[in-house]
Amino acid sequence: MKKVFLMLSLLALSLGMQAQTKFHDVEANDATGAVKCIKSSMMGRDFVINFSKDGKMSREGMSDAQYDANGYLTSVKMSMMGNEVTIKYTWENGRIKTQSMNMMGNDMTTTRTYNEKGAPASEKINMGGQEMENPYTDYKYDAKGNWISRKASMMGQEMEQTRTIEYYE
């Protein structure tokens, strides 16, 4: 169960990972500006998310993205470990407040808090009544103000998440 919880937590991190544009997918991945691509690495897993010039994201395994009238992502389907998962988002003040999904019969809700720079300070994950809080510390930022490195504590394990961000000129 612990391994499944860790895998689901990693999924939440990678998805949690999105400039006023038509679509706010860049903000949904904790970035701002004319982002073209985010390449992220954590615990030996690499993720690549591409963005169109109007801010819409695309990534392997992603389909059926739904948006509200203001261009905020409300749900998306993701393929993970051979299963299709629908992730639903709620927003508050231009940032994701919660994301929820059901995977392998388990409901999982992630609630975020943010630091003074607008980056996630922590994520509280509730999976079937079991709660876990993942704080983020030691942020490093690029010249455009987006984070490129941070430390996370998950289930007693310290780890570093890094990412490289490419921008439209």
Side-chain angles (χ1 to χ4, degrees):
M1 177 71 176
K2 209 173 191 185
K3 202 171 204 177
V4 170
F5 198 70
L6 182 59
M7 289 302 294
L8 291 172
S9 299
L10 285 172
L11 174 66
L13 288 173
S14 72
L15 296 169
M17 312 190 351
Q18 302 194 20
Q20 181 61 35
T21 58
K22 180 176 178 182
F23 300 100
H24 296 276
D25 295 358
V26 173
E27 288 93 339
N29 285 280
D30 305 322
T32 59
V35 175
K36 183 177 187 178
C37 179
I38 297 175
K39 296 175 184 171
S40 181
S41 180
M42 184 173 186
M43 291 181 62
R45 294 190 174 257
D46 296 324
F47 304 95
V48 177
I49 305 169
N50 295 299
F51 300 89
S52 64
K53 285 189 177 184
D54 63 355
K56 194 171 187 177
M57 76 173 156
S58 64
R59 64 179 288 179
E60 186 176 334
M62 182 183 138
S63 65
D64 200 26
Q66 303 293 310
Y67 296 88
D68 68 12
N70 296 313
Y72 288 98
L73 184 64
T74 58
S75 71
V76 66
K77 290 183 181 175
M78 290 294 299
S79 177
M80 180 184 169
M81 297 189 310
N83 294 305
E84 186 174 80
V85 178
T86 299
I87 301 149
K88 296 180 181 181
Y89 300 90
T90 61
W91 292 74
E92 183 175 274
N93 301 320
R95 296 185 179 132
I96 290 179
K97 180 176 177 156
T98 64
Q99 67 184 45
S100 59
M101 68 180 103
N102 182 294
M103 182 156 181
M104 298 185 293
N106 295 300
D107 289 326
M108 183 171 134
T109 301
T110 303
T111 305
R112 291 185 184 173
T113 60
Y114 293 87
N115 67 21
E116 67 281 350
K117 289 194 172 208
S122 70
E123 291 183 331
K124 186 180 285 187
I125 300 170
N126 182 320
M127 184 170 154
Q130 289 186 305
E131 286 194 355
M132 175 179 72
E133 188 158 359
N134 301 321
Y136 298 107
T137 60
D138 299 331
Y139 276 94
K140 293 183 178 113
Y141 295 88
D142 68 8
K144 301 209 185 252
N146 287 312
W147 71 265
I148 54 172
S149 174
R150 68 182 180 186
K151 290 192 178 160
S153 177
M154 189 180 305
M155 296 175 57
Q157 292 186 10
E158 293 287 323
M159 58 197 84
E160 182 177 16
Q161 182 178 13
T162 60
R163 63 186 194 172
T164 303
I165 302 174
E166 295 176 32
Y167 297 90
Y168 287 103
E169 296 298 318

